[in-house]
Every structure is written in C-alpha cells, then in structure tokens.
Amino acid sequence: MRKEERYKGVLNWFNEHVPVAETELHYDNPYQLLIAVILSAQCTDKRVNMITPALFRDFPTPEVMAASTSEVIFEYIRSVSYPNNKSKHLVGMAKMLMSDFDGVVPSDIDELQKLPGVGRKTNVIASVVYNKPAMAVDTHVFRVANRIGLTNNSKTPLETEKELVKHIPEEQIPIAHHWLILHGRYTCIARKPKCEECGLKPWCKYFLSPKKT
C-alpha cells in the first residue's frame, strides 16, 4: 500500500467517525493550559486534572505564580511525575511570561519553546489554543504513527513530527494530533492493541503484517 493511500484512508476514517477530538486536559485559558501541559509530561491527563483545580485557584495569573517558590508549588503537584523539576519549571515559566511577554502566553512556537519545561510540547499550546498547524508528538502519537505505518519506523518524536506534518493537510493537523493521541490512549494501546475493534484495520501496517495472519 502506498503511503499516500494509507494517509488518505486513515484521515478519512477519523474525519467520518471522530468529527470532534479535543484535548482531555482541563483549562479555561492559555495560561492554565500551559501549566497543564508542563505537568502532563510523562504523566496522565487524568492525574493532571486532579491537581490543577487547586493550582489554578491559588495561582490564577502568571504574576501570582512568579511571586511564589518551587517549594510552595511542589506541595500542590507532589503526586505527578517529577514534581521537583516541574515545580521549578512552573515558577520559571511564570517569571519568563512576566519578564519577556507581559504576562501573556505567546502564540509563536519559537517563543513558546523558550519557556522552561515545555520543549516540543509547545505544539500543544499552538495547536489547541491558537489552532496552528503544529503536531505535538507524545508517546501515543509516536507509537500509533509507527504502528499504523504513517511513519517509516521513525526513531525520534521529531522525525515523527516532520513526517506527519509533511503528509497531513495543514488544516487537519490540529485535529489529527488529537485523533492520534486518543486512538493510542483507548484503542491502539501499547501492550496489546485492540485490533478487533479498530476501524483503521484496512490501512494498518501492523494489522496487515504477516505476523498478524
């Protein structure tokens, strides 16, 4: 199967069967999403959503968080993965927002990547808040893209990102990011993908491989 045919089949299926796909992180504004994205690194959205209400309540603006300390923030986020690093990143992020961006979360991807603790996950902010054609590649997207055959056994998230952006129409990239994440989270799971209930079987390299027959 040619790659173009695989992409067309996968995207058409998602478009028909999953017309609405959104982040499962809870937030009300770009600043809150930025906090949630930093916390979500190697951590489930469910866990992040459990701890952010208190954090959003007590640190409602970058100015308030910038005036705090990593030790204080740690007590709010101690149940997530790597709380020591993330508490430092959150305070650093808030201070940089105040000093460099007048307290406003920038929409430019290069500017977003300057913020502590964000890295390539800034693509989530650009895609979700500003609807830019940015493809954030987490473990789900990386696994699903390789398994289906959208990428040629890419070795890094950046390789996967470049391949996906190259083949997915620009206007579909924001929602395609969520399609792949949600598919990996609930159907194409890591240990044992639920192939029997997956609608992508006709285009899936893994399902169609000789090992599966």
Side-chain angles (χ1 to χ4, degrees):
M1 183 184 300
R2 288 168 42 250
K3 182 167 285 190
E4 291 76 11
E5 184 182 352
R6 175 169 283 123
Y7 267 92
K8 183 178 179 181
V10 168
L11 293 174
N12 285 346
W13 185 89
F14 275 130
N15 195 51
E16 181 179 349
H17 294 90
V18 193
V20 177
E22 301 171 329
T23 180
E24 294 187 315
L25 292 170
H26 298 166
Y27 71 98
D28 291 324
N29 55 57
Y31 164 67
Q32 289 185 356
L33 180 59
L34 187 53
I35 290 173
V37 166
I38 290 173
L39 292 174
S40 71
Q42 295 180 277
C43 186
T44 66
D45 288 0
K46 183 178 180 180
R47 168 61 57 183
V48 172
N49 289 336
M50 289 171 63
I51 67 169
T52 48
L55 202 58
F56 295 162
R57 179 195 67 222
D58 293 349
F59 304 93
T61 65
E63 185 176 16
V64 176
M65 183 170 283
S68 186
T69 65
S70 58
E71 290 79 14
V72 171
I73 301 299
F74 176 87
E75 296 303 321
Y76 287 80
I77 69 168
R78 60 190 311 150
S79 65
V80 302
S81 57
Y82 310 107
N84 277 313
N85 286 337
K86 290 178 180 178
S87 59
K88 294 173 184 174
H89 290 328
L90 288 174
V91 174
M93 171 273 292
K95 288 182 176 179
M96 184 174 285
L97 281 182
M98 295 307 300
S99 63
D100 295 10
F101 303 106
D102 296 321
V104 178
V105 177
S107 60
D108 181 79
I109 292 177
D110 292 332
E111 297 290 347
L112 281 165
Q113 287 185 12
K114 295 176 183 178
L115 297 169
V118 185
R120 298 300 296 181
K121 285 181 78 72
T122 51
N123 285 354
V124 177
I125 313 292
S127 173
V128 172
V129 176
Y130 300 112
N131 204 39
K132 292 197 171 186
M135 174 61 71
V137 176
D138 67 353
T139 55
H140 298 300
V141 175
F142 184 76
R143 179 180 69 255
V144 171
N146 270 325
R147 191 179 270 167
I148 292 175
L150 299 179
T151 55
N152 296 322
N153 298 314
S154 58
K155 300 294 188 294
T156 67
L158 185 56
E159 283 182 27
T160 299
E161 178 187 328
K162 289 179 177 178
E163 186 92 359
L164 292 173
V165 169
K166 178 181 176 182
H167 290 91
I168 298 174
E170 187 173 293
E171 68 276 7
Q172 280 191 303
I173 289 175
I175 192 171
H177 158 69
H178 297 303
W179 281 337
L180 294 172
I181 284 179
L182 296 173
H183 194 67
R185 187 171 289 163
Y186 298 112
T187 304
C188 195
I189 56 180
R191 297 197 174 200
K192 191 178 180 183
K194 302 175 182 178
C195 296
E196 67 283 353
E197 60 187 68
C198 178
L200 299 179
K201 290 194 289 287
W203 308 280
C204 180
K205 189 175 181 180
Y206 173 79
F207 182 78
L208 298 173
S209 68
K211 292 183 295 182
K212 291 290 293 177
T213 59

